[in-house]
Amino acid sequence: MANLPIPARQGTPTSLSPSLAALLKLVADQSPAVRVATIPRALTPAERTEAQSRLRDLDARNNAPRGGADTLGEIAILLAGFTITARLTEAQAEAQTETYADATDDLPAWAIAAARRAWARGETDGLKGKIDPSFPPAPAHVRALALQAMAFPRAEAVRIRRLLTAKVE
């Protein structure tokens, strides 16, 4: 576990301009059953460029590589934060890391990092079972928290795509 690389931190996405955020909210408030969203005015060239740029960033985040050394590095950081893991033998530590890797190998490292931060902050709403933040989370809890972290960027990408294809009323 100690030999795993520590991954680089990814920056958080920047906020949208107020005008684009307002249009995005209009689209978000419309029923997803409506095939084509409507907006009260056309996007300005600057808004369209901003939306397309944000969509590229979100797509890169949503389609980030899964598994690999960065994911294992995030798992190592997670487990290293608990004294109980320091008592494990090398074989036990490897088996534990492998179990977490099995549960998260289809998730990007940034989502595992978000899950780790959520656990450390006690932001575990919605998790099933007894939660004790003084112990390492179960692999299934790491997975659930990572999937929660992935939900917003995925939903925002859908909203931006709807906005970029919206009809002007």
Side-chain angles (χ1 to χ4, degrees):
M1 191 164 66
N3 296 334
L4 294 173
I6 304 297
R9 301 278 182 251
Q10 284 191 328
T12 55
T14 57
S15 57
L16 296 171
S17 66
S19 62
L20 188 58
L23 288 172
L24 202 54
K25 180 163 178 13
L26 287 174
V27 169
D29 289 344
Q30 294 176 24
S31 169
V34 176
R35 284 175 107 32
V36 179
T38 58
I39 51 178
R41 62 171 181 80
L43 293 170
T44 66
E47 289 169 335
R48 182 166 293 282
T49 299
E50 180 185 2
Q52 290 168 333
S53 175
R54 179 61 167 258
L55 184 58
R56 277 191 302 277
D57 292 346
L58 288 166
D59 283 344
R61 191 169 183 86
N62 291 332
N63 298 315
R66 273 48 175 165
D70 286 344
T71 298
L72 289 176
E74 290 297 342
I75 292 167
I77 293 169
L78 169 75
L79 297 176
F82 297 95
T83 56
I84 195 167
T85 59
R87 298 182 196 132
L88 299 177
T89 67
E90 184 75 26
Q92 289 170 324
E94 284 181 29
Q96 183 184 46
T97 301
E98 188 65 31
T99 301
Y100 281 85
D102 287 345
T104 61
D105 65 354
D106 62 333
L107 303 174
W110 70 263
I112 305 304
R116 178 178 46 78
R117 285 189 299 275
W119 187 265
R121 294 175 181 155
E123 298 167 353
T124 58
D125 294 345
L127 291 183
K128 295 178 182 174
K130 185 176 179 185
I131 305 300
D132 184 350
S134 53
F135 288 93
H141 287 153
V142 174
R143 180 175 185 76
L145 289 169
L147 290 171
Q148 285 177 7
M150 293 172 68
F152 180 78
R154 286 179 176 171
E156 186 177 6
V158 168
R159 288 190 298 270
I160 291 175
R161 279 191 179 82
R162 284 180 52 88
L163 176 62
L164 289 170
T165 60
K167 284 185 185 179
V168 177
E169 292 181 321

